[in-house]
């Protein structure tokens, strides 16, 4: 693993009215690394990654993605960067009226309008095989289990061949075994697609298995950072409280 930061956030600040959510957030993610962000509900985890892809405008700070400060980009330039980033939204739903195949083809055609139909179908099959869902290609979302819906959502994120993937609570609402399967999938994706990822989670098993490094957001700043083993043994009781 090289130590080139693909994402570098410096002094990120964001308020909504009088609600100061991010008060100077600093972190970087190296190429090929999975960084986990922990933090209580409402601590600003989702806001942080939405700022990173320009979905929410920031108040202050620098956010270098692929070496370019996204806060300084025009709409057009930002769109070009976004084409290289996959975003698995919190509770991100599939289109209920479309089959798994059509959900994926919709996303891919939007992303790469010049691909032929044949190429689109090849890419759909390839990605579904990689997430273990090839047999469900013509199912409707209502016929899928919670874990299969999540896999389809991961496939939809992967189909654009992103260099960076942002996962927002990828195992939320899943049972323990299914959560573990999704965590394993996130790890497999990192290896196979050589992606760089930020994973927001409350699920400590997911944090442990997917995160090369973990950081904790508290009171608008990064309160602690390290490996799972380091943080689990932290001298700070509040940090340790996540690991119980
Ligand atoms: N679009 C928005 N407008 C106003 N307030 C927002 C918006 N998005 C998030 N917030 C507020 O920012 C804080 C952090 O939210 P969020 O990042 O979603 O938390 P979490 O760490 O649970 O992901 C919360 O107080 C939330 O109410
Ligand atoms: Mg959130």
């Amino acid at each position: 693993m090289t130590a080139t930061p693909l994402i570098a956030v410096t002094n990120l600040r964001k308020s909504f009215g009088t609600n100061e959510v991010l008060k100077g957030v600093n972190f970087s993610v190296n190429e090929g690394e999975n960084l986990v962000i922990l933090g209580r509900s409402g601590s600003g985890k989702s806001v942080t990654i939405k700022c990173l892809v320009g979905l929410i405008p920031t108040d202050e700070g620098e956010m270098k993605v692929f070496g370019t400060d996204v806060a300084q980009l025009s709409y057009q330039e930002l769109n070009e960067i976004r084409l290289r980033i996959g975003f698995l939204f919190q509770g991100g739903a599939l289109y209920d009226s479309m089959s798994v195949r059509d959900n994926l083809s919709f996303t891919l055609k939007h992303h790469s309008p010049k691909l032929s139909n044949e190429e689109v179908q090849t890419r759909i099959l390839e990605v579904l095989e990689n997430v273990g869902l090839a047999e469900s290609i013509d199912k409707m979302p209502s016929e899928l289990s919670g874990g299969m819906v999540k896999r389809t959502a991961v496939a939809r994120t992967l189909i654009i061949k992103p260099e960076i993937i942002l996962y927002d609570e990828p195992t939320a609402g899943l049972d323990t075994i299914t959560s573990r399967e999704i965590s394993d999938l996130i790890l497999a994706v990192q290896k196979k697609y050589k992606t760089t990822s930020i994973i927001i989670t409350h699920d400590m098993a997911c944090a442990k298995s997917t995160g090369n490094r973990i950081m904790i957001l508290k009171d608008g700043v990064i309160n602690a950072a390290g490996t799972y083993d380091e943080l689990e043994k932290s001298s700070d009781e509040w940090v340790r409280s996540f690991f119980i």
Side-chain angles (χ1 to χ4, degrees):
M1 191 185 293
T2 58
T4 319
L6 213 57
I7 300 172
V9 173
T10 314
N11 192 32
L12 172 59
R13 289 170 183 271
K14 177 67 191 176
S15 298
F16 296 100
T18 55
N19 183 10
E20 267 190 87
V21 178
L22 305 177
K23 302 180 191 171
V25 166
N26 296 287
F27 68 92
S28 60
V29 193
N30 291 328
E31 193 171 352
E33 186 179 36
N34 276 351
L35 174 77
V36 164
I37 304 183
L38 296 175
R40 296 273 146 84
S41 279
S43 57
K45 305 179 298 296
S46 296
V47 167
T48 301
I49 61 172
K50 283 179 184 164
C51 286
L52 256 185
V53 286
L55 288 173
I56 291 181
T58 62
D59 297 336
E60 222 184 296
E62 188 185 77
M63 293 176 297
K64 284 202 166 171
V65 181
F66 307 119
T68 312
D69 185 1
V70 295
Q72 305 296 330
L73 296 181
S74 68
Y75 183 74
Q76 175 66 30
E77 290 165 325
L78 189 58
N79 271 339
E80 280 165 24
I81 292 240
R82 277 197 196 142
L83 291 175
R84 302 164 66 187
I85 303 177
F87 202 135
L88 194 79
F89 284 100
Q90 196 166 2
L94 304 174
Y95 294 106
D96 280 337
S97 60
M98 291 184 197
S99 66
V100 168
R101 183 199 299 273
D102 291 346
N103 264 281
L104 296 180
S105 97
F106 185 82
T107 301
L108 184 55
K109 284 179 179 163
H110 182 74
H111 179 272
S112 311
K114 290 186 185 136
L115 284 183
S116 71
N117 258 331
E118 211 180 333
E119 285 167 316
V120 169
Q121 295 306 321
T122 307
R123 288 269 289 270
I124 291 173
L125 264 176
E126 182 195 341
V127 80
L128 283 177
E129 269 163 23
N130 284 335
V131 303
L133 268 188
E135 279 158 26
S136 302
I137 186 164
D138 289 316
K139 290 208 164 125
M140 298 302 285
S142 60
E143 300 174 89
L144 304 176
S145 68
M148 289 158 95
V149 168
K150 216 33 131 183
R151 278 173 192 279
T152 309
V154 173
R156 187 176 57 182
T157 306
L158 279 176
I159 201 160
I160 65 158
K161 299 200 168 158
E163 292 154 73
I164 292 175
I165 305 184
L166 307 173
Y167 296 94
D168 199 349
E169 311 251 9
T171 64
L174 301 177
D175 62 72
T176 313
I177 292 173
T178 311
S179 294
R180 194 183 310 147
E181 286 171 6
I182 297 300
S183 299
D184 289 346
L185 178 60
I186 291 171
L187 261 186
V189 163
Q190 179 192 26
K191 294 210 176 78
K192 184 161 181 89
Y193 288 80
K194 309 273 182 256
T195 46
T196 302
S197 294
I198 297 178
I199 302 147
I200 292 175
T201 189
H202 278 116
D203 171 358
M204 294 309 289
C206 174
K208 184 171 190 176
S209 67
T210 64
N212 302 114
R213 208 153 44 88
I214 295 177
M215 61 180 212
I216 309 183
L217 194 54
K218 183 193 185 192
D219 299 332
V221 297
I222 303 304
N223 178 265
T227 63
Y228 187 97
D229 293 343
E230 285 163 1
L231 294 183
E232 192 179 26
K233 293 187 207 103
S234 167
S235 57
D236 183 333
E237 196 178 329
W238 185 85
V239 170
R240 280 201 315 275
S241 73
F242 280 88
F243 294 79
I244 297 166

